[in-house]
Amino acid sequence: MATPKKTVSRRGFLRNAVKGTAAATAAACTTVVAAPPEANALQRPPKPLPPDAVGLLYDSTLCIGCKACVTACKDVNHMPPDVGPQQQAWNGGPGNPTWDTPVELSAKTLNVIKAYVHGTGATKDSAENGFAFIKRQCLHCADPSCVSVCPVSAMTKDPQSGIVSHNPDACIGCRYCVLSCPFGVPKYDYNDAFGEIKKCQLCKQRLAQNELPGCADVCPTGATLFGRSDELLKEAKRRTALKPGEYAHYPRGDIAGKVGGARSGHEKLVEATYQTHIYGEKELGGTQCLAVSAVPFDKLNLPTKVPETGYPTLSEGIQHTLYAGMIGPAVVFGGLAYLAHRNTKDHPAENQSEQ
């Protein structure tokens, strides 16, 4: 008498497949990487800045907190006023603001000036009983996480200028860029039914017309300076070597005097000791927008405990190792199929079709 053919119920198959998933994954990883190497062995080489990379140098000691850069950014990028719920009672009420009062980067604000205050706040650029300003915007990383994680290439880095841009027409709204950015820069507009990712794009539309980014164009003290990234780094190193009591020249606009035309700088007495730390020189592989300050950057709420290589060097290195030749996925699929088949064979009674 022929043995009835066994069939597997959907419930039985799913149960057995789930039981085998963990073991299959472990087996696959063991097969692909029998002895896990050091983390740096999996890293891909870091990406250098493009040779013609451009950016900004922000000098906290020159900033007077006027927020002209914030207003100019709104004007040239056609951004609406940004008024938080805590400000509406004294700022015209909902829908009728008297002033634009952003307190943080958002889908309405691509650039913001924030203040550090300690104790009495009596002395500018002092960490003790003083205050200082910091400019928050996209830093245009050399090896940007937002570009690495974007599944549809809506985030891109220009191979010439290095500007990190967002294409809303390609974006699918996954917000991976929002989660991956270590500086918390890309923001999603949750108040719009067709919300988009918003971030500073270094006013690339103005650069195409030989005009300065809005923030650098209007800064009265040269606290925000535009230029080639290599030239800005040299300028940053010059400033951090200055001593209090010296007079120094501070350029304005474009450090080379080309974009937007030449502008007169100014002489200023150095009143505070610069930190030797140039923010963005080494953080996460380097950034095109740099900052110098007399107050430590951790007090200015910038992440300082970060590696000197970008996170994509490790994440992409691991992915490329696992997916090289599609060996990893093939082993996982084969392991799952084998375990599902074995479990089905070991438990025939449970897998009979219900009569």
Side-chain angles (χ1 to χ4, degrees), residues 173-255:
C174 68
R175 302 186 290 279
Y176 287 169
C177 57
V178 176
L179 297 173
S180 70
C181 177
F183 305 107
V185 170
K187 300 296 182 183
Y188 183 77
D189 189 359
Y190 289 95
N191 296 317
D192 190 330
F194 302 97
E196 295 180 359
I197 296 293
K198 301 292 185 179
K199 64 175 288 295
C200 161
Q201 302 188 78
L202 211 61
C203 291
K204 61 181 183 178
Q205 76 280 10
R206 289 174 58 85
L207 292 177
Q209 302 298 321
N210 199 43
E211 296 177 331
L212 286 166
C215 59
D217 190 26
V218 301
C219 184
T221 65
T224 298
L225 181 67
F226 174 80
R228 288 174 54 101
S229 295
D230 54 354
E231 294 179 0
L232 294 178
L233 180 58
K234 291 179 182 178
E235 175 68 8
K237 290 181 177 180
R238 180 186 74 89
R239 296 187 188 187
T240 55
L242 296 172
K243 305 298 181 183
E246 297 178 355
Y247 274 92
H249 177 78
Y250 294 93
R252 294 175 57 247
D254 175 15
I255 190 172

